[in-house]
Amino acid sequence: MANTELHRARAWWETVKTVAFALLLAGLFRTVLFQPFWIPSGSMKETLLIGDFLFVNKFAYGWSRWSCPMGLCPFEGRLWETLPERGDIVVFHHPISGDDYVKRLIGLPGDQIELRRGQIWLNGTPIPQRPDGDFVETAAPQGPGGHQPRCQNRPVAGGDCRKARSIETLPNGVSYPVLNITDRAFGDTTTSYTVPPGHVFVMGDNRDNSLDSRFEQAQGGVGFVPLENLIGRADRVLFSSAGSSLLAFWTWRGDRFFHALN
């Protein structure tokens, strides 16, 4: 009887150690290497869609306090810092709200940025945009929040929601689609921004549906983002679901599984 109880105690202890080790590995994986991220809004369409699931590469730029959940890493600045590149899709910690955002990096420290009628001027040079038809999606609620897409046209429910698409190309050769819903004075045309040291300038690809560095934090935007607040780079969509529930397998986007991002 005693041997049986001892065997059970040892088996229980081995189970506890195995679970603890697995949790430790999972914590290290999330803290040091990759962090899962769901796309909750349409600010990065068509590059990222509502319901895309991806892992953020946390060692792309080195580690900061925000590499740990709730900013608990016990150091300031960045360890093994690598400066991001223009065109990177970055996930960052919002300086005020504390939420995690995903946008495209447009400006590096020292860059001068201005928008004129929807076109970016970077350090005095216009960034070319080539018209590329329309981005078309269904005019229906999207994701768990049931967000209705904004459209350039006025479709009936279930019809085609259209947005004008252009291909934008940065000086380093990175190209990506940007969408336009409407021509507006606020956001499409701005004053000139100079990115301060230790910060970056970010924008959403769905330009008229993105609160980004064009807007100050008091306006609901993000302003200039401190380099320390960068969590990592988004490189690939692993899974995607267009429905309100992950279990709704008939809404899975099979063509976006392991989809590489530009």
Side-chain angles (χ1 to χ4, degrees), residues 132-160:
D132 190 44
D134 290 339
F135 170 66
V136 183
E137 59 184 337
T138 303
Q142 299 178 348
H147 300 293
Q148 288 282 353
R150 294 182 60 198
C151 313
Q152 193 175 35
N153 59 334
R154 295 185 177 180
V156 298
D160 286 345

Side-chain angles (χ1 to χ4, degrees), residues 71-142:
L72 294 178
C73 284
F75 50 81
E76 298 295 328
R78 299 195 80 88
L79 298 178
W80 303 290
E81 181 176 17
T82 299
L83 197 66
E85 297 183 6
R86 296 188 189 96
D88 284 357
I89 301 172
V90 297
V91 175
F92 59 92
H93 184 80
H94 191 288
I96 300 299
S97 72
D99 296 326
D100 292 341
Y101 278 46
V102 58
K103 305 289 181 185
R104 190 176 298 276
L105 193 148
I106 300 297
L108 295 170
D111 281 344
Q112 187 179 52
I113 298 171
E114 181 181 353
L115 269 83
R116 303 179 187 177
R117 301 182 65 181
Q119 185 176 31
I120 299 173
W121 286 65
L122 177 64
N123 297 323
T125 301
I127 300 301
Q129 289 184 354
R130 173 177 56 83
D132 190 44
D134 290 339
F135 170 66
V136 183
E137 59 184 337
T138 303
Q142 299 178 348

Side-chain angles (χ1 to χ4, degrees), residues 28-239:
L28 288 174
F29 182 86
R30 187 184 188 280
T31 300
V32 178
L33 300 177
F34 299 95
Q35 176 176 324
F37 191 81
W38 280 100
I39 302 301
S41 74
S43 70
M44 280 293 293
K45 289 178 181 177
E46 67 184 88
T47 304
L48 292 171
L49 304 179
I50 295 176
D52 281 351
F53 176 77
L54 49 89
F55 275 111
V56 179
N57 180 347
K58 301 183 78 168
F59 54 85
Y61 311 127
W63 290 269
S64 75
R65 59 175 294 201
W66 297 112
S67 298
C68 295
M70 298 180 290
L72 294 178
C73 284
F75 50 81
E76 298 295 328
R78 299 195 80 88
L79 298 178
W80 303 290
E81 181 176 17
T82 299
L83 197 66
E85 297 183 6
R86 296 188 189 96
D88 284 357
I89 301 172
V90 297
V91 175
F92 59 92
H93 184 80
H94 191 288
I96 300 299
S97 72
D99 296 326
D100 292 341
Y101 278 46
V102 58
K103 305 289 181 185
R104 190 176 298 276
L105 193 148
I106 300 297
L108 295 170
D111 281 344
Q112 187 179 52
I113 298 171
E114 181 181 353
L115 269 83
R116 303 179 187 177
R117 301 182 65 181
Q119 185 176 31
I120 299 173
W121 286 65
L122 177 64
N123 297 323
T125 301
I127 300 301
Q129 289 184 354
R130 173 177 56 83
D132 190 44
D134 290 339
F135 170 66
V136 183
E137 59 184 337
T138 303
Q142 299 178 348
H147 300 293
Q148 288 282 353
R150 294 182 60 198
C151 313
Q152 193 175 35
N153 59 334
R154 295 185 177 180
V156 298
D160 286 345
C161 171
R162 295 181 176 273
K163 302 174 184 62
R165 175 174 55 205
S166 297
I167 302 300
E168 189 170 83
T169 303
L170 294 172
N172 60 357
V174 176
S175 295
Y176 46 88
V178 294
L179 306 182
N180 181 61
I181 300 172
T182 183
D183 296 328
R184 56 179 185 169
F186 187 63
D188 280 356
T189 299
T190 69
T191 59
S192 179
Y193 307 94
T194 299
V195 185
H199 292 73
V200 293
F201 188 98
V202 298
M203 294 178 64
D205 291 349
N206 191 4
R207 294 285 161 80
D208 294 330
N209 200 49
S210 175
L211 290 172
D212 45 45
S213 291
R214 292 171 292 173
F215 308 100
E216 297 180 359
Q217 295 161 9
Q219 300 171 312
V222 301
F224 299 118
V225 178
L227 283 168
E228 182 184 26
N229 286 45
L230 295 183
I231 296 172
R233 185 182 65 216
D235 295 327
R236 186 175 297 271
V237 173
L238 298 183
F239 175 83

